Amino acid sequence: MEKLTFYAVSAPEKLDRIGSYLAERLSRDVVRHRSGYVLIAMEALDQLLMACHSQSIKPFVESFLHMVAKLLESGEPKLQVLGTNSFVKFANIEEDTPSYHRRYDFFVSRFSAMCHSCHSDPEIRTEIRIAGIRGIQGVVRKTVNDELRATIWEPQHMDKIVPSLLFNMQKTEEVDSRAGPPPSPSASDKEENPAVLAENCFRELLGRATFGNMNNAVRPVFAHLDHHKLWDPNEFAVHCFKIIMYSIQAQYSHHVIQEILGHLDARKKDSPRVRAGIIQVLLEAVAIAAKGSIGPTVLEVFNTLLKHLRLSVVFEANDLQGGSGGSANLNSSSKDNDEKIVQNAIIQTIGFFGSNLPDYQRSEIMMFIMGKVPVFGTSTHTLDISQLGDLGTRRIQIMLLRSLLMVTSGYKAKTIVTALPGSFLDPLLSPSLMEDYELRQLVLEVMHNLMDRHDNRAKLRGIRIIPDVADLKIKREKICRQDTSFMKKNGQQLYRHIYLGCKEEDNVQKNYELLYTSLALITIELANEEVVIDLIRLAIALQDSAIINEDNLPMFHRCGIMALVAAYLNFVSQMIAVPAFCQHVSKVIEIRTMEAPYFLPEHIFRDKCMLPKSLEKHDKNLYFLTNKIAESLGGSGYSVERLSVPYVPQVTDEDRLSRRKSIVDTVSIQVDILPNSIPSDDVVSNTEEITFEALKKAIDTSGMEEQEKEKRRLVIEKFQKAPFEEIAAQCESKANLLHDRLAQILELTIRPPPSPSGTLTITSGHAQYQSVPVYEMKFPDLCVY
């Protein structure tokens, strides 16, 4: 060999003839089964190949590869392993110039076949499979470095290489799953373990993939998992895609996510467990990709997931409608549970993906999901619900709001306007008026996620009378100008939804807890002095509604509202730290503890709590009184004029959209004293109309004229659209004016006219009329001629 090697190096032009001669001898020895001569010939070829690197080695390489192919075609495992080892040595040689005409199709096919060896002897089978994996690894190393020779990435090659590697990874995965978790393999174990070697080769293959050939390497994975039914259970599928996501370059991760979404669309009619398995794989892929570059697939991911969420609800509804009979019902029940698995997997994926996005993208996703939520009577949503029916629509509403809840979890906006813009707040609050307690709970929880910017919600969990709020160590900051502006614009809308949410007949304990938390979070995050007064007015209005009970609520709900008001006023009184206010609240709670414990949350929400038969006969000391609250707050510098004006919720189109009975009838009768806005020029003419007959007609409400109906409509419209401050000011001024006018009329009717104080001459043009006496009255602004 030394002489032969020296001769070949000295005369490179002779390599072609040397290779041809050795190939001829080796072919003859293989046919005659002379294994010893075969080994000698391959050793000579290997040494010559390692020693010579001249330009004339190209023909010699062709002879070498021809002999390796001869060995791989033989049926003897030893010769196959020998040929593989020689090819691996060749693959590790870096050639000076590429050979464009050389192809490795045969080697890909042969090595892939060796990976699937089914030899009867386990040791020989393992040896052949390891040789096949190492051969594939050699082909990959030899071909992927040169872009001009990238035939290895063609689908016909990837469809052989990738399944061969997955087959070996899968087989050992099954053995390991039965035997328990194996210890970490040593270096020698890696060489002897087909699964470890196949996984390393798979990682290396994916690590060399580029933008143009990434999809060709990933698609065979789906085919293998489909063919072997590995989506249910999907442990191996998750394992494969974790390898893929960690092996590829980060900027290509969105390609893999797109492929998973496309496969989910292709398998949308498969069993629920198969779809759930694919979605779980998507979750794992997204979890890894979210740490790097997601790329342009963000909306596509959410759009596809929401589409499959709707499909799952449709399948679930169809199964429920189609099930009849014992066995059919049993089958329908199992399918129903499987669809719930799919839905939970989708929601989990949406939530995890959304929570890992940057804030600006998360805001877009929140708007995107909210636009999908169907609301009865509107067509603003973009999700097709024609096949769902009422039950399916309710189900999709709950699923979408649960998804939104997951996305908003952990979202921290610097200003509340960023978290709750008008375009998001209006559609979010629409479901809060629906007659479904679970929907209202989800809406409130979403609002809590967005409002709670200092992580105080956990400290407020559960509705209770807090002895000392300072012990909670609540974090808060000074209210910024943007938050103050938000409350001026949207405060009445928030109060309205809390007020109406408290008066729902299907409320359960969790609803009252969430409503209490809503009031507390508004107080912590958004309340200045003006908002505090509005919240107290809202609490007193809730107490009055429970006492008067215009909505005919059950006694439990009335007591629940009373308990909520007690818990909140106890909280807000300690938050603003006005001693007189705290004293009044504490005294009422103390009296309730002794005489009416069912008005406190610790008692009413227990399983067995005695309820009163009525609330009308209770002592007023059990209630929070507006005049005492106004007196206590006024002494501390609060502007308490508005406390005397009862809170009345606005009436909007949402009441019609939410299938709720109109609340126009619940507007206080005090609205009737607010007349239309009167121009100043008409004051005298209106003054002249105040007589006994006018008062009698105003008091007599047995028959309402058209004019009165129009007047009521205009007043209601004013309450809907006018700012609160304007309504309060007008209400106060008109009430004072009415009081003065009544006093004037009574003065006229009781006292006799005094003596004339003078005469008044009335002229019109050239005519002069008779002078008439003028009487000076107690009220100088009223004159009688």
Side-chain angles (χ1 to χ4, degrees), residues 170-270:
Q170 173 194 349
K171 289 297 181 183
T172 310
E173 186 89 8
E174 293 174 356
V175 175
D176 291 342
S177 64
R178 290 193 298 268
S184 56
S186 61
S188 59
D189 291 335
K190 290 181 180 179
E191 292 295 328
E192 298 175 0
N193 190 339
V196 176
L197 189 60
E199 182 175 324
N200 291 336
C201 182
F202 189 48
R203 291 179 186 273
E204 184 177 349
L205 175 69
L206 293 167
R208 297 173 182 268
T210 59
F211 180 83
N213 47 46
M214 174 62 63
N215 294 341
N216 290 340
V218 174
R219 284 170 185 165
V221 178
F222 294 105
H224 180 82
L225 297 174
D226 290 342
H227 180 71
H228 292 276
K229 299 180 180 179
L230 297 174
W231 295 111
D232 179 31
N234 68 337
E235 288 81 5
F236 180 71
V238 170
H239 179 64
C240 287
F241 277 92
K242 281 185 176 180
I243 293 174
I244 293 173
M245 296 303 294
Y246 281 118
S247 299
I248 63 175
Q249 300 179 45
Q251 64 267 30
Y252 302 150
S253 59
H254 63 276
H255 280 286
V256 180
I257 295 175
Q258 284 177 327
E259 290 295 323
I260 299 175
L261 293 173
H263 195 69
L264 181 60
D265 285 337
R267 304 297 298 272
K268 62 184 179 182
K269 294 185 179 179
D270 280 29

Side-chain angles (χ1 to χ4, degrees), residues 367-437:
M367 293 293 298
F368 182 74
I369 296 176
M370 200 64 243
K372 300 282 185 180
V373 179
V375 180
F376 292 112
T378 66
S379 57
T380 56
H381 55 85
T382 58
L383 203 62
D384 181 17
I385 59 171
S386 56
Q387 303 176 3
L388 295 178
D390 285 354
L391 184 62
T393 300
R394 174 190 176 275
R395 184 73 178 158
I396 199 69
Q397 288 170 336
I398 291 176
M399 293 293 108
L400 290 173
L401 288 175
R402 283 179 59 193
S403 304
L404 187 61
L405 181 63
M406 295 282 287
V407 172
T408 56
S409 179
Y411 181 58
K412 295 290 187 299
K414 293 183 179 179
T415 62
I416 197 66
V417 180
T418 306
L420 285 170
S423 56
F424 179 75
L425 181 63
D426 293 339
L428 174 64
L429 290 178
S430 294
S432 71
L433 295 178
M434 293 185 179
E435 296 176 343
D436 188 291
Y437 71 94

